[in-house]
């Protein structure tokens, strides 16, 4: 359902871009977003964007990461990367009609070297 691309290894201060494409039809109000999970830590929300363009961004990445969306594709532009941004990043889709469903991408590693 969700296919991710992007990610990789970058030095501190560098930039990376993640993309995620959802296949099929997405019905009604929905959110697409990015979550991340570092080793030994819980998965956390990075940024989400609704079908109407409303965005929510975690304080830890505000001003550095930008989420954008074009129909069924969501992108995450990551600038000024820090070592603490190192994690596996997962794309997520939540749709609420006709029933609540959520889907996850396969995950992609982002590593920021100091």
């Amino acid at each position: 359902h969700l296919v991710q691309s992007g990610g990789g290894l970058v030095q501190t201060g560098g930039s990376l871009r993640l993309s995620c494409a959802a296949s099929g039809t997405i019905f009604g109000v929905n959110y697409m977003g990015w979550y991340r999970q570092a080793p030994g830590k819980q998965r956390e929300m990075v940024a989400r964007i609704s079908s109407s363009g409303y965005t929510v961004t975690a304080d830890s990445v505000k001003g550095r990461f930008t989420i954008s969306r074009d129909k069924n594709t969501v992108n995450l532009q990551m600038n000024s990367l820090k070592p603490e941004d190192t994690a596996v990043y997962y794309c997520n889709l939540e749709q609420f009609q006709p029933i609540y469903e959520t889907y996850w991408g396969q995950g992609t590693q982002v590593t920021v070297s100091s």
Side-chain angles (χ1 to χ4, degrees):
H1 247 87
L2 300 176
V3 178
Q4 298 179 212
S5 60
L9 173 65
V10 68
Q11 291 185 331
T12 296
S15 298
L16 286 173
R17 183 178 176 88
L18 303 179
S19 293
C20 173
S23 60
T25 302
I26 305 176
F27 295 97
V29 175
N30 60 83
Y31 276 85
M32 295 188 76
W34 293 95
Y35 291 70
R36 67 186 182 186
Q37 188 167 18
K41 295 188 177 181
Q42 289 189 332
R43 191 173 295 189
E44 63 176 0
M45 189 276 294
V46 177
R48 301 168 74 212
I49 184 168
S50 75
S51 44
S52 59
Y54 176 74
T55 62
V56 179
T57 305
D59 288 344
S60 59
V61 304
K62 205 166 285 186
R64 301 187 297 120
F65 291 12
T66 302
I67 190 169
S68 62
R69 179 170 179 173
D70 180 13
K71 296 182 181 178
N72 289 4
T73 299
V74 63
N75 303 300
L76 186 68
Q77 179 65 41
M78 304 183 291
N79 298 328
S80 302
L81 282 159
K82 305 175 181 180
E84 50 263 44
D85 296 318
T86 295
V88 177
Y89 284 69
Y90 295 91
C91 176
N92 174 257
L93 165 64
E94 288 184 284
Q95 59 183 57
F96 301 91
Q97 298 170 334
I99 60 172
Y100 176 79
E101 293 180 294
T102 186
Y103 302 92
W104 293 94
Q106 77 271 25
T108 187
Q109 179 70 46
V110 170
T111 302
V112 185
S113 63
S114 57

